Amino acid sequence: MSQPEWPALESDHPLMKFIEVLPAILDQAEYDEVYGIDLKNSTPFHVKLILQKFLRANANDLEKAKEQLLSTLKWRKSFQPLKAKDEVFDEKRFGGLGYILTLENVPDSTNAQDVAAFNIYGSVKDFKETFEDIEGFMRWRVALMELTLEQLKLGEVTKPIPDYGKGVDPYQAFQIHDYLQVSFLRQNPYTKAATKVAIDTFKNFYPETLSRKFFVNVPIVMGWMFTALSVFLSKETVQKFTILSYGEYLAGYIGQSVPVEYGGKGEKLSTISSIKTKFNESDHNDEVSVD
Ligand code: HEM
């Protein structure tokens, strides 16, 4: 099969300059992979795809893009996010909190393929248990992110990403935070600390992965949290956010294939497999995988 080709670029184009310095960056990081794409051995097209994301996230500023790529590679080397995908998480901490769905007929979609990650934070039973061990929480949250990106099948795509300012990146995913039945008005310290780490991690190490983000079932009295957390993010990211008071409104935005809880015709979320969790052996004798 013939390899896809990136449109021809002048030698002084930031993407060409980025390609030139890539080997030195990979050597410095001692790590080669981003979003499952091996930057040493993949086709030139797919290497450019990843570098283009870093350039776009930095408004084509090559120095900033280089820095962000280097820090992302170093983080990936130590965190090993691809391994998180295969981990099985504690049912008591994470059961029913994360789902990944492929959507159909999304109105006005700009994505090559519509994938949505659902974070059902309203279903957290015990905030201390889920969030206190931040590292454990982050392994679960990063697993959800990596499993979502896997669905975008970046290694198989053939359409290039346009330059910054010249059209949308078609390889991004939707995220939904569902806060139904959140039971307190103030953030507790465990949630607050874990939220901060998650926001920083995704902001720094997952550039150009978000298509749009919906916060649903947000009680009016908790709207202030949106403002409080948005200050940590760029204007471009916040522009992708929408708050909906009711879950059923979501279908009006991303189409009828979403689960019935969100006003669509899709299978009920509670009947779909969430990301892999199991009960601790001390709690139960049998492993109960919901995948
Ligand atoms: C029990 C209540 C809540 C919990 C447990 C919770 C949890 C979290 C967590 C863990 C994150 C980190 C980022 C991620 O996982 O994608 C986050 C981000 C965020 N949350 Fe919440 N949250 C709660 C309530 C709210 C409410 C009521 C709002 C209002 C809309 C809100 C708005 C946000 C915003 C704007 C972000 C940043 C999003 C981003 O970085 O992409 N949260 N939340």
Side-chain angles (χ1 to χ4, degrees):
M1 204 178 76
S2 67
Q3 297 295 344
E5 278 192 35
W6 203 270
L9 300 169
E10 301 288 334
S11 59
D12 61 350
H13 188 283
L15 191 51
M16 297 307 278
K17 298 254 172 235
F18 208 174
I19 293 278
E20 261 172 49
V21 295
L22 180 63
I25 297 174
L26 298 180
D27 280 353
Q28 199 180 336
E30 298 176 333
Y31 192 77
D32 304 333
E33 169 276 328
V34 175
Y35 308 158
I37 304 288
D38 178 338
L39 297 179
K40 234 177 209 162
N41 300 309
S42 296
T43 66
F45 177 93
H46 294 99
V47 172
K48 289 194 181 100
L49 195 81
I50 297 298
L51 299 192
Q52 184 74 311
K53 282 184 179 280
F54 281 80
L55 276 173
R56 284 175 62 107
N58 292 285
N60 268 354
D61 182 324
L62 181 58
E63 286 312 307
K64 285 191 186 154
K66 278 159 56 181
E67 258 172 53
Q68 189 175 18
L69 177 63
L70 180 61
S71 63
T72 300
L73 289 163
K74 286 181 174 169
W75 174 79
R76 293 185 75 89
K77 183 180 181 209
S78 76
F79 194 95
Q80 296 288 319
L82 294 185
K83 289 194 180 140
K85 288 196 299 186
D86 299 324
E87 288 164 25
V88 177
F89 298 93
D90 183 353
E91 169 71 18
K92 269 172 69 191
R93 290 184 71 188
F94 303 113
L97 299 191
Y99 297 84
I100 298 160
L101 303 182
T102 305
L103 306 178
E104 283 155 26
N105 303 320
V106 176
D108 305 321
S109 172
T110 53
N111 298 313
Q113 192 172 344
D114 287 305
V115 176
F118 286 72
N119 281 268
I120 318 296
Y121 288 130
S123 294
V124 172
K125 289 166 207 78
D126 178 337
F127 291 101
K128 184 169 189 286
E129 180 142 33
T130 299
F131 295 114
E132 186 182 27
D133 155 29
I134 296 182
E135 212 182 306
F137 166 70
M138 283 309 295
R139 290 215 71 78
W140 171 83
R141 184 62 186 84
V142 164
L144 184 68
M145 187 66 164
E146 290 290 335
L147 287 163
T148 306
L149 296 179
E150 188 176 74
Q151 295 291 315
L152 297 178
K153 301 188 176 68
L154 293 178
E156 296 169 26
V157 305
T158 55
K159 190 178 156 199
I161 300 174
D163 269 3
Y164 172 73
K166 296 192 178 156
V168 288
D169 178 338
Y171 310 116
Q172 298 178 321
F174 294 108
Q175 288 188 31
I176 292 98
H177 282 204
D178 185 344
Y179 295 126
L180 186 65
Q181 292 174 342
V182 288
S183 56
F184 63 93
L185 297 181
R186 261 182 293 151
Q187 263 196 327
N188 63 61
Y190 312 114
T191 309
K192 201 171 174 181
T195 298
K196 179 79 176 62
V197 173
I199 289 176
D200 282 349
T201 303
F202 295 123
K203 180 170 81 175
N204 295 331
F205 307 136
Y206 286 88
E208 300 291 292
T209 50
L210 179 68
S211 172
R212 293 185 68 185
K213 189 155 181 158
F214 295 89
F215 300 87
V216 307
N217 290 311
V218 176
I220 303 261
V221 288
M222 288 183 79
W224 63 270
M225 267 178 83
F226 183 79
T227 319
L229 294 171
S230 296
V231 299
F232 299 116
L233 297 160
S234 69
K235 181 175 90 263
E236 288 79 6
T237 301
V238 176
Q239 276 168 356
K240 296 178 175 181
F241 292 173
T242 304
I243 307 187
L244 303 175
S245 310
Y246 299 100
E248 299 79 35
Y249 292 170
L250 188 62
Y253 290 80
I254 54 174
Q256 292 298 320
S257 71
V258 296
V260 283
E261 293 96 320
Y262 300 104
K265 296 190 169 57
E267 240 180 284
K268 211 167 180 237
L269 198 66
S270 51
T271 63
I272 301 171
S273 302
S274 72
I275 80 163
K276 253 189 263 163
T277 51
K278 69 166 188 173
F279 290 102
N280 273 336
E281 271 161 35
S282 54
D283 300 324
H284 292 262
N285 292 329
D286 302 326
E287 179 177 301
V288 181
S289 170
V290 287
D291 195 359

